[in-house]
Amino acid sequence: MDRITSMEIFVRAVQLGSFAAVADERGISAQMVGKHVRGLEAGLGTKLLAKSTRFQKVTAAGERYYQRCLTILAELKAAEEDIYRNMNEPSGTLKICTGVNVGIKVLAPSLARFMQRYPKLEIDLVVDNRLPDIKKDGFEVIFRDKVDGYENLIAHKLKSFEMIVCASPEYLQQHGTPNHPDELSNHQCLQSSLLYLNHNWSFFDGKQHFKPEVSSKLTINSGQAMMSAAIEGAGITMQPIFQVNNALKDGRLVQVLADYQLPEVSLYMIYLPSLRNTARLTLLKEHLQQTLKQYV
């Protein structure tokens, strides 16, 4: 059997947790997956997985071999991509995960333009607010506003976005425009039903910090849906500039408390160490940095 193919199958078996899942992914039988793994074990003279059919855990030797396989397969991929780098034409597949808001407003349109420039590249973009399991889900690149929990990966900060507090002209006409952060306690300040997506309603005037108690009768688990509700007059919303930029320009939303400084939200590109210096990642990073310059 081809040793490289067996190593690829073994790596995915570790990541997915079952032979059946690998078989479905590669379009082969579970028995063939087991045959590849057993071939590696025979060559090494040791068990890599606790079971030969449906395993529960990786052995100590299997974990060491898994890490080495990742390095070897990454080097092979980098060697192939080095050829394409010289031709300025990346190829292969990138599996990417990102949050819903930045995925819809920033990444999806930017990736579409990127793929027009590099048609040999394939991208699998998953838009989901749940925190991904890198090993199990097989993602190579994720985009998040925090790096906590991803210490074993490489994180590159792409940009920090200004946060904007805004509401529709109709809401402000009916309920009044707040001139001080403390006045927000008298308003409907739209909240996320997902605690980790709630923004920090903290204001700084250059001398003093203000943290008003905000609440609303309407909670939503999507920033984009929250913006739509604000446009219809549901209340005041705090959003990153990329989310509300167009609505501010055409007057559907109006910024309030603009004289106060708010905490910024960062966007990190977090990726597997095996992707470092590959043409796919390098060109994508450069493309996104250029795209994000529009959000001053």
Side-chain angles (χ1 to χ4, degrees):
M1 285 188 176
D2 176 59
R3 179 60 65 90
I4 298 300
T5 300
S6 295
M7 291 170 68
E8 291 174 340
I9 288 175
F10 168 68
V11 164
R12 290 304 284 153
V14 173
Q15 293 173 339
L16 295 178
S18 76
F19 288 176
V22 181
D24 289 341
E25 182 179 82
R26 297 185 71 96
I28 60 178
S29 67
Q31 289 77 13
M32 181 57 68
V33 173
K35 190 174 181 180
H36 277 280
V37 173
R38 288 192 296 274
L40 291 175
E41 291 176 334
L44 295 167
T46 186
K47 282 285 187 180
L48 299 175
L49 303 176
K51 292 184 180 180
S52 59
T53 53
R54 188 171 182 177
F55 62 92
Q56 294 179 342
K57 65 178 182 178
V58 185
T59 66
E63 179 62 30
R64 292 195 300 272
Y65 190 66
Y66 166 73
Q67 296 297 334
R68 290 298 184 98
C69 284
L70 288 178
T71 301
I72 292 169
L73 294 174
E75 287 297 323
L76 284 173
K77 186 178 291 186
E80 292 171 353
E81 292 194 4
D82 190 52
I83 302 300
Y84 290 108
R85 186 200 304 277
N86 292 334
M87 298 188 301
N88 202 32
E89 183 71 17
S91 68
T93 302
L94 274 176
K95 189 170 183 181
I96 300 173
C97 182
T98 184
V100 174
N101 297 335
V102 72
I104 293 174
K105 297 293 290 186
V106 178
L107 286 180
S110 182
L111 290 175
R113 294 190 294 270
F114 182 68
M115 294 182 70
Q116 290 172 3
R117 293 180 60 188
Y118 305 108
K120 292 183 179 180
L121 188 65
E122 296 181 7
I123 292 179
D124 179 4
L125 176 64
V126 175
V127 177
D128 194 336
N129 281 334
R130 292 176 297 178
L131 299 179
D133 184 326
I134 298 296
K135 180 184 288 189
K136 184 176 181 180
D137 298 330
F139 293 113
E140 297 172 288
V141 182
I142 61 174
F143 292 89
R144 282 290 182 268
D145 61 347
K146 299 180 179 66
V147 297
D148 299 342
Y150 300 111
E151 288 77 9
N152 294 330
L153 304 177
I154 299 176
H156 175 79
K157 185 176 179 179
L158 290 172
K159 189 173 181 63
S160 290
F161 294 101
E162 178 187 4
M163 297 299 292
I164 302 292
V165 176
C166 53
S168 69
E170 293 77 13
Y171 175 89
L172 297 175
Q173 184 177 9
Q174 182 178 356
H175 299 281
T177 300
N179 295 309
H180 190 279
D182 289 341
E183 296 177 21
L184 291 174
S185 59
N186 300 318
H187 286 268
Q188 293 294 309
C189 296
L190 302 179
Q191 300 290 294
S192 172
S193 55
L194 302 175
L195 292 179
Y196 66 89
L197 286 181
N198 270 327
H199 297 301
N200 181 13
W201 291 70
S202 176
F203 300 80
F204 183 59
D205 65 0
K207 296 181 180 179
Q208 187 175 355
H209 289 275
F210 301 92
K211 291 198 67 173
E213 293 188 8
V214 296
S215 63
S216 90
K217 298 177 181 178
L218 176 63
T219 58
I220 307 177
N221 70 343
S222 162
Q224 191 171 34
M226 200 180 299
M227 181 190 74
S228 297
I231 290 174
E232 294 301 320
I236 298 174
T237 183
M238 178 186 290
Q239 299 278 348
I241 183 63
F242 67 78
Q243 185 84 290
V244 296
N245 196 35
N246 292 334
L248 291 171
K249 287 181 179 179
D250 61 27
R252 288 176 294 159
L253 291 174
V254 177
Q255 184 177 4
V256 299
L257 300 172
D259 292 335
Y260 293 85
Q261 181 180 345
L262 283 74
E264 295 182 328
V265 61
S266 298
L267 178 62
Y268 291 92
M269 183 179 189
I270 306 171
Y271 53 91
L272 296 173
S274 59
L275 279 179
R276 182 175 15 211
N277 298 325
T278 61
R280 292 175 297 158
L281 186 79
T282 301
L283 292 173
L284 177 59
K285 189 188 300 182
E286 293 173 353
H287 173 79
L288 291 175
Q289 287 173 328
Q290 187 64 34
T291 297
L292 294 173
K293 286 182 179 179
Q294 65 181 292
Y295 302 106
V296 179

